[in-house]
Amino acid sequence: MSPDPHPAGASGDALLHRLLGRARDLGFLGAAPIAEQIAHSRALVGAVGANDRVLDLGSGGGLPGLVVAADQPSATVVLLDAMSRRTVVLADAAEELNAVGTHLTVITARAEEAGRDPEMRGRFDLVLARSFGPPAVVAECAAPFLRRGG
């Protein structure tokens, strides 16, 4: 039997439900059931390598970034959003998830500006986005963050 990839098994799922429920209550996530939103995000986890650096572009309520961080705790995940109201909530969630072994950071910045920051530019293996914008806009904003081959 393979080990459960989720932090602390069922209690990890309870933690994700609670964190994402808070984000939904604040209007940062849609009305779809949290379990469905987690399942949708988990479809991306297979693309994340064990030690990858991952950026969640326009994190909003934390999807898919919080789920990816919880399910692939050896990856380094950065949640990027321009709205401090959201990043305050995300930082609280990151603190709780980091307590169970994730490597999760939250940054408040516009993608266009952060992509020019030498600390962020070309540093990520993978960029994820959910509801960020049309595909062409996502690609344009994501490209500066990707390392060569990312």
Side-chain angles (χ1 to χ4, degrees), residues 21-130:
R22 178 176 182 218
R24 184 175 62 193
D25 291 347
L26 293 168
F28 302 155
L29 292 177
I34 297 294
E36 285 180 23
Q37 295 188 58
I38 290 172
H40 184 262
S41 294
R42 282 196 168 133
L44 301 172
V45 172
V48 179
N51 295 305
D52 279 355
R53 288 186 43 89
V54 178
L55 176 69
D56 181 4
L57 190 61
S59 296
L63 292 174
L66 293 178
V67 175
V68 169
D71 286 8
Q72 188 59 274
S74 62
T76 298
V77 178
V78 175
L79 307 179
L80 177 70
D81 200 279
M83 296 185 71
S84 61
R85 184 170 170 249
R86 291 180 186 152
T87 58
V88 166
V89 173
L90 292 172
D92 289 344
E95 186 175 318
E96 290 194 53
L97 282 171
N98 285 337
V100 294
T102 67
H103 298 91
L104 185 57
T105 304
V106 178
I107 297 174
T108 306
R110 291 191 51 82
E112 303 89 325
E113 295 166 7
R116 291 189 294 270
D117 180 342
E119 295 294 316
M120 301 277 292
R121 190 172 184 88
R123 303 285 185 200
F124 295 91
D125 300 296
L126 184 66
V127 176
L128 305 172
R130 176 183 182 263

